[in-house]
Amino acid sequence: MPTQIGIILGIMVLAYALAKARRLTVEISMFLAALVGGLAGIIFRTPPAGELIRHLVEGSATYLDVILVFSTATIFMAIVNESGGVNYVVRATIRAFHNKRLAALIVLMIIVLIPGALTGAGSISLLVVGAPVAMALKLLGISPKRAAAILFIIAGLSAAAPPVNIWAMILCAGTAIPYVGFELPLAVPVLICGVFTMLVLGWRKERSIDLATALQEMPKVPARMTWWRVLLPFLVFFGSVAAYRLFPFQTPILGLPLQFTMSALVAWLVSPHKIKILSLSRDTVKRLLPLISTVVIVGMLQQIMTATGVRGLLSYAVISIPLVFLLVSLAIIIPVSEGVLTYGAAAVLGIPLIWYLDSIGFHATVAIAGLTLLWPLGDGLPPTALIGRLSVMVSEYKGSYWEFLRTTWLPWLFITIVGILMVVYSAKLSFLVRWSM
Amino acid sequence: MKRPGLVKAVLIVLFLIFLIQGGLRLYRHRHFDVPVVTGPGVTRVAHLSDFGPGLKGTMADTLVYFLDGTEPGGKAILMSNTHANEPEGLLAALLMLENAVVEKGSLIIIPQFNNSAGRNTRPGDGYPLYFEIPTDWGLKTFRMGNRDASPLDQWPDPDVYIHYPDRQLLSYIDARNVNRTWPGRPGGPLMEKVTFAAMEIMRREKVDVAVDIHGAETMFPVTNCIVAPEKSNRIATMASLTVKAKEGFDSHVEPSPAGFRGLSHREIGDFSDTLPFLLEAPIPFLDQPTGPKTVKFLLDGKDPFLLSLAQKKKLFVAYDASGWPLEKRVGQHCSVTLEIIRQYSKKNPDRSILVRDIPRYAEIVQNGVGHYFHDPSRAERDRIYPN
Amino acid sequence: MPIIMIFYYLITAYLVVLLAWNFVREKKKTEDMALYLLVLIPLVLRILRLK
Ligand SMILES: [Zn+2]
């Protein structure tokens, strides 16, 4: 059986490589890899021929809710941006902090951390506050490449930050470990790594810029723009998120897509000038196409990989690595798996890994926390590169993707070391879990 | 491009083929009914919606079978398909439903406890839609369900699920997992209504014992066991020791963790006078590092990767080339359930429950699970219920 | 059907309209046309209450 699965895996990799060589996009190449993998599987009746299309169609629905969140959040922010709200906020931030660099960097970091921490998705951080923060970073004299790098790393950390960490939640749901005691094991490393990143990538001024020119460089803000027009839509969003946390049994479950839709409608209503919502939404969906199609195709790929046994083979390969080597190779395995499967990786590798580590005396909660620092790094790696591509998109960096990724090397290394040390010393660090409860 | 119209037409045709071929299969799965031939012991059939509000007319409503004895005594409730991708529970419950006769006390069986999940598929995990069991009269087909309810019945998910009433944060996925929504509330999301109605049965009918039947991965530390809170511990221990001594299989006792909310073995005990037990039998099919997810693997539990991992001591159950066949899993569930009922009756003679005609481990391993299912085409119409 | 769920079907339908519209207007890139339809699969399945 392993040979049969190996053949299917080989055919999938080959299909992907050939498609890329013929200059097809990442998304189409991944889809072809899934399709061809499924066809190869039919030879061994894994899956049976009649089931192939059902598997692809069923797999496409794996991340349906993620598509809705991405789309509604981006439309919301597009409206806020169109109304001039983004520029308004950045102008105010720059005016307040232009000669307090450390404070400016920390404030901007916290602004990026909050949406992702609350929703568990770094993409939300980027979609909601990415563009204005990128602009503020540029006005602090940071190049678009470094700004994109900062956004990528901090958005990743925001996804790992408590209270909501989706990888940890998937792992907890899959391993039957309660999602409790994660506050400090996540918050402490996230803040340390965050400050480190801001200093490494943001401290140096790549060009000096004075306040007057900075403000002049920015697009004009509509005259009737006011604080409350900017804040109201965000209050609706954060208010509805907070309401469910504070009064969970009195508040109906709205879900993120509806919360963003409500905020979008409010932003549209309070905009100082009329916004053509339909054409704006259409453009937004066009811009989002690579991301939402990636999410759909990853679901299909995951389904085909499981039905053919490829997913099991990969999971088996990881679990079979000897312990010490395994711990070191987490630095590669975890991000790469995220790059291929996004959230699917947490289940495929994470669940057996955590059960195994738990059984040999590691502290599961701290080990999960450590691993979830590594997963977001993979969101910058191809083929999917979800967060990396978003970071580039919102910061309007126009250069090569690899250049951008290389810029992140030092924080990347730092986070990797912190994450692996947390796994290795999970038992010693378990006081963080106790202090959280 | 020369002919954009033609390209588009071709793409639309492909799109429609995908949508119709794939969508129709998923639709048929959701609406496929498994005919159950109720046995001589079934005295009345109710709906879960008779016990709690907000379930009538939804896919979460499900049949509740009562097997009342001629003599008064205690009451036991059995639930399976709490997780509808762990079919050994469902088969054990249906097998009891089709054969058991209760002499004293009552047995209440809810075979499709999460009916919505039983009619849901698991995207991304490549399961087959159905599996067939050989019986004495041909193949009997069952749906393979999902761990969680369908979003067609409960949508949207929260960004994080907050457990009622403890406020513990749980994964957003667990809002659709009925083994996290206990004890439930009448005004909560659909799955909380399901567990609330079940709690109402236990409180109103004064149920003594609740058994929630599952399957668990071989790499999961809590597998092949009886999970019991403090108050059920003695009976669980006695049952575990007895099946080991008399029937020769292992099923150890695991304490229900006090700090993990929403689980049946925790909340049923805390919110009613009922003694809860959760049974786990190993189901290799659910493990991550396995070969393709085929029907054969689901039934025989044989996998080369797990075998290799067993040799590396990475599994929590004994595992050899014989795999972990369905008959063993279902047999264990039947024997452990019977033993729990027997031990409870021994300790509480005034509330004792006497059941006969449920096969035990050795018989099921020998005869196969299908042997105990009755042919719906030859049964009386009014004894057949769609599940 | 609860009112919040109805809103979700409306949101999904809105996205379906946007994607279909973009598909119709796309004249050059075959790959993008295919991607629009791929994204439409799960959304249409949901609206038809198939998945
Ligand atoms: Zn279960």
Side-chain angles (χ1 to χ4, degrees):
Chain A
M1 185 187 283
T3 342
Q4 158 195 334
I5 300 171
I7 293 171
I8 299 172
L9 174 60
I11 292 176
M12 289 175 84
V13 173
L14 196 69
Y16 181 81
L18 278 177
K20 280 297 286 173
R22 300 210 49 186
R23 301 195 168 279
L24 294 175
T25 56
V26 174
E27 297 80 32
I28 293 288
S29 306
M30 284 176 73
F31 172 68
L32 290 176
L35 184 66
V36 172
L39 288 170
I42 287 177
I43 302 170
F44 308 100
R45 286 192 54 76
T46 58
E51 291 285 283
L52 176 59
I53 291 180
R54 189 268 297 179
H55 277 305
L56 289 166
V57 165
E58 188 187 335
S60 77
T62 311
Y63 299 110
L64 175 62
D65 288 309
V66 177
I67 301 174
L68 294 186
V69 172
F70 274 16
S71 310
T72 51
T74 319
I75 291 174
F76 163 53
M77 272 321 285
I79 294 172
V80 173
N81 191 30
E82 189 76 13
S83 74
V86 172
N87 294 329
Y88 188 82
V89 174
V90 179
R91 273 170 178 269
T93 318
I94 292 299
R95 236 184 250 124
F97 291 108
H98 73 280
N99 50 14
K100 304 181 196 90
R101 195 171 182 81
L102 182 65
L105 289 174
I106 301 290
V107 167
L108 291 172
M109 175 185 90
I110 289 171
I111 291 176
V112 180
L113 281 179
I114 288 174
L118 286 178
T119 59
S123 51
I124 303 292
S125 272
L126 293 177
L127 294 170
V128 175
V129 299
V133 168
M135 203 179 286
L137 290 172
K138 277 177 223 167
L139 295 180
L140 286 169
I142 296 167
S143 70
K145 188 168 76 184
R146 279 180 175 242
I150 288 176
L151 282 178
F152 166 65
I153 296 282
I154 304 294
L157 290 172
S158 82
V164 179
N165 174 321
I166 294 193
W167 295 282
M169 284 186 163
I170 290 174
L171 274 175
C172 284
T175 53
I177 291 168
Y179 182 70
V180 289
F182 278 97
E183 288 84 353
L184 289 176
L186 288 173
V188 172
V190 162
L191 287 175
I192 293 174
C193 295
V195 171
F196 180 85
T197 306
M198 293 312 279
L199 292 180
V200 166
L201 293 175
W203 187 250
R204 213 179 79 223
K205 254 190 191 173
E206 288 171 280
R207 60 179 187 142
S208 62
I209 186 165
D210 68 88
L211 181 64
T213 25
L215 292 177
Q216 210 152 44
E217 268 186 21
M218 289 193 54
K220 288 275 165 293
V221 171
R224 287 167 56 228
M225 199 64 202
T226 53
W227 267 114
W228 68 267
R229 281 184 204 268
V230 182
L231 277 181
L232 204 60
F234 288 91
L235 276 179
V236 170
F237 177 71
F238 289 114
S240 60
V241 170
Y244 176 60
R245 290 301 143 77
L246 295 173
F247 312 104
F249 313 130
Q250 287 79 38
T251 320
I253 291 172
L254 298 174
L256 291 170
L258 185 56
Q259 289 168 318
F260 281 121
T261 306
M262 284 161 31
S263 316
L265 288 175
V266 171
W268 181 58
L269 288 173
V270 300
S271 164
H273 57 92
K274 255 188 110 63
I275 293 173
K276 285 183 193 147
I277 199 161
L278 210 58
S279 64
L280 185 70
S281 312
R282 251 190 54 215
D283 290 343
T284 311
V285 167
K286 199 182 174 86
R287 213 153 41 95
L288 269 180
L289 183 65
L291 290 172
I292 52 181
S293 56
T294 301
V295 172
V296 170
I297 291 162
V298 164
M300 294 177 162
L301 191 67
Q302 200 180 316
Q303 176 109 0
I304 293 295
M305 285 172 74
T306 325
T308 52
V310 168
R311 196 176 107 168
L313 176 73
L314 297 179
S315 178
Y316 168 79
V318 169
I319 299 299
S320 305
I321 301 175
L323 182 64
V324 176
F325 191 58
L326 172 66
L327 291 172
V328 177
S329 50
L330 288 177
I332 311 268
I333 292 171
I334 298 290
V336 168
S337 67
E338 178 78 15
V340 177
L341 283 177
T342 67
Y343 290 126
V348 179
L349 301 182
I351 293 174
L353 197 63
I354 289 300
W355 281 339
Y356 170 54
L357 294 177
D358 184 55
S359 71
I360 53 174
F362 286 72
H363 193 286
T365 308
V366 183
I368 290 175
L371 288 180
T372 61
L373 292 177
L374 302 183
W375 263 302
L377 297 175
D379 283 329
L381 293 181
T384 56
L386 279 184
I387 304 298
R389 288 195 280 169
L390 263 181
S391 307
V392 169
M393 187 172 108
V394 297
S395 57
E396 291 176 355
Y397 163 68
K398 299 279 188 273
S400 104
Y401 187 80
W402 289 108
E403 275 295 311
F404 143 76
L405 206 56
R406 207 176 310 151
T407 314
T408 66
W409 78 272
L410 190 52
W412 186 300
L413 188 70
F414 185 76
I415 293 171
T416 304
I417 291 169
V418 170
I420 290 180
L421 287 180
M422 280 179 70
V423 177
V424 173
Y425 293 106
S426 56
K428 290 212 172 81
L429 292 169
S430 61
F431 66 90
L432 288 171
V433 176
R434 282 195 303 279
W435 290 0
S436 301
M437 298 201 278
Chain B
M1 192 193 302
K2 283 179 216 134
R3 315 265 304 267
L6 184 68
V7 173
K8 262 188 194 160
V10 171
L11 285 174
I12 289 176
V13 169
L14 286 174
F15 171 74
L16 289 176
I17 291 175
F18 265 60
L19 207 64
I20 293 167
Q21 214 267 359
L24 217 56
R25 275 170 189 250
L26 294 172
Y27 179 85
R28 276 200 229 112
H29 173 269
R30 180 167 157 91
H31 296 275
F32 180 88
D33 285 326
V34 181
V36 167
V37 184
T38 53
V42 175
T43 43
R44 71 194 150 104
V45 182
H47 285 88
L48 192 61
S49 56
D50 300 337
F51 300 89
L55 293 172
K56 209 170 186 69
T58 72
M59 271 290 194
D61 199 2
T62 188
L63 294 173
V64 182
Y65 300 86
F66 286 81
L67 291 77
D68 295 317
T70 38
E71 251 183 280
K75 288 181 180 175
I77 188 167
L78 308 182
M79 290 160 288
S80 63
N81 263 16
T82 298
H83 293 147
N85 58 345
E86 299 162 4
E88 38 283 308
L90 174 72
L91 295 172
L94 291 180
L95 194 152
M96 296 189 221
L97 188 59
E98 294 208 359
N99 297 284
V101 174
V102 179
E103 290 178 337
K104 191 170 177 221
S106 303
L107 206 54
I108 305 166
I109 302 179
I110 313 180
Q112 291 280 358
F113 186 55
N114 190 345
N115 189 49
S116 168
R119 295 172 182 281
N120 188 16
T121 63
R122 192 170 176 83
D125 273 11
Y127 290 175
L129 292 176
Y130 308 92
F131 61 95
E132 291 91 23
I133 303 275
T135 69
D136 301 346
W137 42 268
L139 290 174
K140 187 171 170 77
T141 306
F142 297 87
R143 292 184 310 272
M144 180 66 178
N146 187 2
R147 183 179 171 88
D148 313 304
S150 168
L152 295 178
D153 304 311
Q154 183 179 310
W155 196 31
D157 291 339
D159 54 340
V160 54
Y161 177 55
I162 302 177
H163 174 256
Y164 174 84
D166 198 69
R167 288 177 174 254
Q168 185 168 81
L169 295 188
L170 295 167
S171 166
Y172 62 97
I173 318 161
D174 282 333
R176 285 182 281 123
N177 172 357
V178 283
N179 202 26
R180 294 296 180 279
T181 62
W182 293 95
R185 60 196 155 125
L190 197 59
M191 293 305 116
E192 289 190 19
K193 293 185 175 129
V194 168
T195 47
F196 176 78
M199 288 302 302
E200 279 297 289
I201 297 181
M202 291 180 229
R203 288 186 284 243
R204 274 190 229 166
E205 300 273 333
K206 302 215 180 338
V207 172
D208 301 80
V209 169
V211 182
D212 184 9
I213 319 176
H214 288 248
E217 298 87 340
T218 60
M219 294 192 76
F220 183 36
V222 188
T223 192
N224 209 29
C225 62
I226 310 170
V227 190
E230 314 73 57
K231 66 193 241 189
S232 311
N233 190 281
R234 276 194 57 149
I235 288 167
T237 309
M238 286 308 294
S240 166
L241 292 172
T242 316
V243 295
K244 173 82 187 161
K246 279 196 185 161
E247 303 186 51
F249 67 83
D250 279 311
S251 186
H252 66 280
V253 179
E254 284 278 344
S256 160
F260 193 177
R261 308 312 304 197
L263 296 123
S264 63
H265 51 76
R266 179 81 259 144
E267 312 294 350
I268 291 175
D270 289 4
F271 286 86
S272 72
D273 296 325
T274 310
L275 297 182
F277 301 85
L278 187 146
L279 312 190
E280 298 278 19
I283 169 169
F285 183 88
L286 292 188
D287 274 296
Q288 294 288 344
T290 72
K293 306 288 184 186
T294 60
V295 174
K296 184 179 166 296
F297 177 35
L298 175 64
L299 300 183
D300 68 14
K302 282 185 200 168
D303 184 77
F305 298 113
L306 291 180
L307 190 59
S308 156
L309 289 168
Q311 282 148 10
K312 293 178 179 139
K313 304 226 176 323
K314 288 185 177 170
L315 305 190
F316 286 87
V317 287
Y319 192 91
D320 56 31
S322 66
W324 205 282
L326 185 71
E327 300 79 58
K328 272 184 157 184
R329 283 132 62 187
V330 175
Q332 287 196 5
H333 280 326
C334 288
S335 277
V336 173
T337 304
L338 286 173
E339 202 50 48
I340 286 171
I341 292 175
R342 203 175 71 90
Q343 293 295 341
Y344 178 81
S345 304
K346 240 167 82 179
K347 280 204 71 187
N348 305 276
D350 52 320
R351 297 286 299 167
S352 71
I353 307 159
L354 218 60
V355 194
R356 63 172 166 85
D357 293 351
I358 297 179
R360 280 189 174 251
Y361 179 73
E363 295 166 64
I364 296 174
V365 169
Q366 198 195 337
N367 299 329
V369 176
H371 175 69
Y372 299 95
F373 290 125
H374 300 277
D375 186 353
S377 68
R378 300 178 61 188
E380 287 166 53
R381 269 286 151 80
D382 60 343
R383 298 218 71 94
I384 299 177
Y385 289 86
N387 259 268
Chain C
M1 193 183 280
I3 179 99
I4 292 176
M5 215 202 256
I6 294 173
F7 281 127
Y8 272 82
Y9 282 96
L10 292 175
I11 294 172
T12 313
Y14 183 58
L15 281 179
V16 167
V17 170
L18 297 174
L19 287 161
W21 192 353
N22 280 348
F23 171 77
V24 172
R25 297 272 294 251
E26 181 62 61
K27 302 283 183 220
K28 283 200 289 286
K29 296 183 197 144
T30 316
E31 287 184 84
D32 281 5
M33 290 177 200
L35 292 180
Y36 281 124
L37 293 182
L38 279 173
V39 178
L40 276 169
I41 291 175
L43 297 173
V44 174
L45 281 180
R46 179 55 54 86
I47 287 181
L48 297 176
R49 287 184 58 79
L50 296 175
K51 178 65 218 170

